[in-house]
Amino acid sequence: GHRGITHSAVGITLFAPLVAALLHAVGPEANYAFYLGLVALGMGLHVLFDLITSWGTMILAPFSKRKFYWSWISFRNYPFVFTLWGTLALSFFLDPLESQIVCAAAMGFAMVMIAVAGVTQAVAKRRFRDALSAKGIRAHKLEGFPRGRRLFTWSIFAESADAFHHGTVAVTSKAPIVFNEMPKPEANDFIEAARQVPAIGFYFDVTSFVQGHYAREGERHIVTFSNARFAFGGTPVRGMAPGDGASVVFDEARRVIDAVIYGIPVPVVRSGTGTS
């Protein structure tokens, strides 16, 4: 639930005036418009710096739980992260003018890194798509993810009608792209029914490349969903294991018995027939 309404356009509209009013009441003397602009700018930059990660933010909350992301900067891009944190901490020990200069320089550095990442990611994605097309593969979904602190090397993932595809693209190298391909598991009615369970929709909103697996244990029909990115050997983020994801258990009548997301049980309606 993190990065929901507090990290959305609606959240900024709702909370910025309240925070500005509080600061105006207890902070140094300044007009309300100054505080409102400062708070709105701070919140806007916070949301922007969430959008540039691969986890993203629910920018349209509360109207949609879908997470939007640009995947330009990795959580592990330490030069980017520590430049911002370090200069912010340093500014407390400087006089106002020196603080402004240091923080402005850090923000300029961050913006340059964001711009470079956005451009190199676009180049890497185009090269990957062209390489797929040369192999006769048409991808209906293609995304690039940063590799740690590198700005010129990208992990590109794509999804075609019958497979997932992965490759590493170094923008500064003209070497051919080495492809890894993974066929999609065969779909069936239970997998399609699991996709329609409302609670499972959240997993699809926050997961890039979802693959579904079906298994039967006696009268129990088990559908599990996982992120195909992890199956290629990529390093999971935030401690999630490659198999973490969502699962739905049905009975013979295709009624939902149980549903779990990231190991957490979610409420389901067990009466009637079909999914609920």
Side-chain angles (χ1 to χ4, degrees):
H2 183 52
R3 297 190 183 181
I5 188 172
T6 58
H7 293 57
S8 70
V10 171
I12 294 174
T13 304
L14 291 177
F15 299 124
L18 299 178
V19 176
L22 177 62
L23 293 175
H24 184 249
V26 302
E29 184 176 351
N31 62 49
Y32 175 75
F34 169 79
Y35 277 118
L36 180 60
L38 195 65
V39 172
L41 175 62
M43 289 184 172
L45 285 171
H46 188 122
V47 171
L48 170 66
F49 283 2
D50 282 342
L51 282 171
I52 64 175
T53 68
S54 58
W55 184 244
T57 185
M58 301 179 196
I59 192 70
L60 299 181
F63 306 109
S64 172
K65 291 184 177 181
R66 179 185 172 190
K67 283 198 171 181
F68 294 84
Y69 51 87
W70 297 334
S71 299
W72 289 349
I73 299 292
S74 168
F75 290 108
R76 294 175 292 151
N77 191 321
Y78 304 122
F80 179 86
V81 174
F82 288 121
T83 294
L84 294 176
W85 280 101
T87 52
L88 184 62
L90 178 63
S91 69
F92 284 96
F93 301 97
L94 303 175
D95 64 42
L97 179 59
E98 292 173 334
S99 174
Q100 292 175 23
I101 294 173
V102 169
C103 289
M107 186 62 68
F109 172 77
M111 291 302 179
V112 169
M113 290 190 71
I114 291 173
V116 171
V119 171
T120 57
Q121 184 204 57
V123 172
K125 288 168 65 175
R126 187 187 70 241
R127 286 182 55 186
F128 194 86
R129 188 181 296 277
D130 291 345
L132 282 178
S133 298
K135 293 167 62 71
I137 299 172
R138 181 176 181 181
H140 60 264
K141 183 177 184 180
L142 189 149
E143 295 182 8
F145 298 89
R147 294 179 62 86
R149 61 181 179 273
R150 304 176 188 175
L151 295 181
F152 297 92
T153 304
W154 296 84
S155 285
I156 309 296
F157 296 86
E159 181 178 354
S160 62
D162 54 3
F164 296 100
H165 313 268
H166 169 255
T168 299
V169 179
V171 175
T172 56
S173 172
K174 295 184 179 180
I177 299 173
V178 177
F179 287 97
N180 298 304
E181 297 184 351
M182 181 174 59
K184 288 183 177 179
E186 184 176 351
N188 62 23
D189 291 341
F190 283 98
I191 292 179
E192 291 304 313
R195 291 173 61 97
Q196 305 308 314
V197 176
I200 299 300
F202 170 78
Y203 181 74
F204 282 82
D205 285 339
V206 301
T207 306
S208 305
F209 297 92
V210 179
Q211 57 179 343
H213 297 270
Y214 168 79
R216 180 170 182 171
E217 295 180 358
E219 296 182 352
R220 292 160 53 91
H221 301 264
I222 304 171
V223 176
T224 58
F225 295 108
S226 60
N227 193 335
R229 285 175 55 199
F230 295 163
F232 284 106
T235 303
V237 296
R238 295 192 171 225
M240 290 188 292
D244 283 352
S247 66
V248 183
V249 180
F250 296 95
D251 62 14
E252 291 283 5
R254 209 180 298 167
R255 290 185 295 246
V256 178
I257 301 174
D258 195 16
V260 175
I261 300 177
Y262 293 130
I264 304 172
V266 295
V268 294
V269 179
R270 295 180 173 82
S271 60
T273 59
T275 62
S276 55

